[in-house]
Amino acid sequence: MNSSDPQRDEVAGVEASEIDALAARVMGPVVTSGDERYDAERAGYQTTRSHRPDIVVGATGPADVRAAVAFASDHGLPVAVQGTGHQLSAVASEGGVLINTSRMTGVRVNAEAGTAWLAAGTRWDQVIHEAAPAGLAPLSGSLPTLGAVSYTLGGGLGLLSRRYGYAADHVRSLDVVTADGQLRHVTEDSDPDLFWALRGGRDNFGVVTGMEIDLMPITTLYGGGLFFPGESAAEVFETYLQWTATVPDEMSSSVALISFPNVPALPEPLRGRHVVHLRIAYAADTLGASERLVAPLRALHPMIDTLREMSYPESVTIYNDPVAPGTFEAGTAMMGELDAIAVRAILDLAGPHVPVPHIVELRHLGGRLAHPPAVGNAVGNRDARFLFNVASRLERADITDVRPAHKKMFEAIAPWSTGGRFLNFMNGESDSEQVRSAYDPKDYQRLTELKAVYDPANTFRSNHNIPPAVS
Ligand SMILES: Cc1cc2nc3c(=O)[nH]c(=O)nc-3n(C[C@H](O)[C@H](O)[C@H](O)COP(=O)(O)OP(=O)(O)OC[C@H]3O[C@@H](n4cnc5c(N)ncnc54)[C@H](O)[C@@H]3O)c2cc1C
């Protein structure tokens, strides 16, 4: 027990002396709800929901994670994990032990092998910064402050994804603490089943304390954004959809209709307006074709055009996702081919005339994402052509208005949806049908069978849960 730890009471039927014994075994803080550090230990990017665990362990390394998992298993308590808190699910808020990995940061780049080892709580901006001097880049996503390990375990759809596939397709090894409290170094050769399940099954099989990933030989790309007035949304979305059918795999892109707040921090043309934001990341070996490729989009006369050659570290500006924590409600659906009627269905429910401000986004899939990786994993829905996301900031709208508005939107787009979902964008509570939809049916069955082997008591259930198969 640290000298700063207060007197504790029994929690969740666990004697205070046992919690003190856990605190004595771990280097980081062990905090219960009466402790003034409790709120800071469970705080994350997403402020709509927060974990309300019985006990938080602020892990400093694998030994702390082992102690926390073993303690939870011994007492029959569920384990939740939090890195940077970008995707808290509501079920995670109910009791148990929360392992906060935010202190476990660290990156080791192996320039010769073209790989990096990342600790559990490492953010993408750290990896990008460490990899760039070696002429390498990770398969990072739209927001550089995302937790790299959790993002990768959940699939990882990044700026270079149509060229290289999901981030989960480029994991070489994982260090994971499983429900029995063991720390395992997992590779394709050592534990093929667990290696398969963790890459896509994420937090259902253990707490990953570190992973080795491939880096890509990318120093420069052509990218940025084109901004159009919301009034031209239908034309821009339709042209964008036609354009995606013509581009090479090196071109990754998305389009969003965004309702911007009227705040001085934004450039004047965006303040308080509905705006179409088209995002481009073209990463080919030579960038000579860039301008020609984007010409059909530029022909739509954007009011702001930031497309240019940039270094990979500068690519963190392409999406301009908000870095500051906030409260939002979001949903996701995998889509098949889309046409003008689909665009109309989306825009009818998202435009300036609707009372609830939304961000609606289509990310172009296909390319390498559509192919199975060299070493198979559990990431599903590879046949989808687009990913649809909707998010609404709850600072600007009431949850009781947002939820029915999102529901209506998903009903409207249902004819074009594959029925699948992308795990990384599944926010809030999920039922078993929703979790199932993140995987291909045979893979889901295999995941439940492996869950019965590696976590038969479902200790890792404070998540989008895959239950153990019943034999
Ligand atoms: C603004 C924004 C932009 C985003 N952009 C992208 C994008 O471009 N591409 C994309 O693929 N995703 C994107 N995401 C989704 C993001 O990748 C996921 O939310 C990811 O899980 C975030 O990880 P985190 O550590 O930041 O979040 P956390 O909320 O801390 O963790 C999310 C989940 O991962 C699990 N987890 C965390 N750490 C571990 C661990 N060490 N071992 C096992 N499980 C763990 C937790 O149980 C939790 O359920 C975005 C999210 C936001 C909010």
Side-chain angles (χ1 to χ4, degrees), residues 60-396:
T60 60
D64 285 0
V65 175
R66 286 187 69 179
V69 171
F71 177 89
S73 288
D74 288 350
H75 291 90
L77 297 173
V79 171
V81 199
Q82 181 171 318
T84 58
H86 283 82
Q87 196 197 16
L88 306 177
S89 55
V91 280
S93 60
E94 302 302 323
V97 175
L98 171 65
I99 300 176
N100 173 358
T101 63
S102 63
R103 291 171 182 79
M104 294 170 62
T105 58
V107 184
R108 282 197 312 270
V109 171
N110 182 336
E112 217 163 282
T115 61
W117 180 89
L118 327 174
T122 307
R123 300 178 348 182
W124 276 129
D125 49 6
Q126 296 171 260
V127 189
I128 293 167
H129 179 72
E130 296 294 333
L136 298 167
L139 295 178
S140 48
S142 62
L143 180 65
T145 51
L146 295 174
V149 166
S150 154
Y151 162 103
T152 302
L153 295 172
L157 181 65
L159 297 178
L160 310 177
S161 54
R162 277 179 34 89
R163 176 166 182 184
Y164 293 109
Y166 287 102
D169 301 347
H170 295 276
V171 176
R172 296 217 179 170
S173 66
L174 298 148
D175 296 311
V176 59
V177 176
T178 42
D180 54 8
Q182 294 306 305
L183 175 64
R184 302 165 193 243
H185 181 67
V186 177
T187 66
E188 180 195 0
D189 296 328
S190 72
D191 304 83
D193 284 337
L194 189 53
F195 189 60
W196 176 85
L198 279 163
R199 293 170 302 131
R202 197 172 60 189
D203 40 7
N204 275 284
F205 295 88
V207 182
V208 171
T209 60
M211 62 164 62
E212 188 188 8
I213 58 165
D214 290 328
L215 298 172
M216 304 304 157
I218 295 286
T219 53
T220 311
L221 52 74
Y222 179 86
L226 300 174
F227 292 85
F228 302 88
E231 296 74 37
S232 54
E235 185 191 7
V236 177
F237 269 64
E238 280 169 34
T239 307
Y240 172 73
L241 291 180
Q242 288 158 11
W243 175 80
T244 56
T246 67
V247 297
D249 289 358
E250 290 87 354
M251 179 67 82
S252 295
S253 64
S254 68
V255 66
L257 179 63
I258 303 175
S259 153
F260 280 109
N262 191 354
V263 291
L266 290 170
E268 202 279 323
L270 308 183
R271 281 182 214 158
R273 293 188 65 185
H274 272 73
V275 172
V276 180
H277 183 193
L278 212 151
R279 301 79 164 247
I280 299 287
Y282 176 60
D285 292 336
T286 58
L287 298 177
S290 315
E291 301 275 329
R292 183 177 51 76
L293 282 168
V294 299
L297 305 173
R298 277 203 165 126
L300 297 170
H301 306 297
M303 54 182 180
I304 302 178
D305 179 342
T306 66
L307 297 184
R308 63 192 167 91
E309 273 191 39
M310 57 173 71
S311 68
Y312 194 77
E314 288 175 289
S315 71
V316 301
T317 61
I318 291 177
Y319 274 71
N320 268 324
D321 283 342
V323 171
T327 170
F328 60 90
E329 184 73 5
T332 183
M334 289 291 199
M335 310 297 285
E337 293 297 349
L338 298 174
D339 55 20
I341 306 170
V343 165
R344 186 62 62 195
I346 294 168
L347 298 181
D348 276 354
L349 295 170
H353 54 284
V354 303
V356 178
H358 301 301
I359 298 172
V360 290
E361 177 188 49
L362 290 171
R363 293 197 185 195
H364 185 207
L365 305 178
R368 194 73 225 162
L369 293 163
H371 297 279
V375 180
N377 60 36
V379 177
N381 293 305
R382 288 181 186 267
D383 56 344
R385 308 303 298 158
F386 293 89
L387 174 67
F388 171 79
N389 291 316
V390 57
S392 303
R393 302 288 295 202
L394 299 179
E395 294 95 349
R396 300 174 62 206

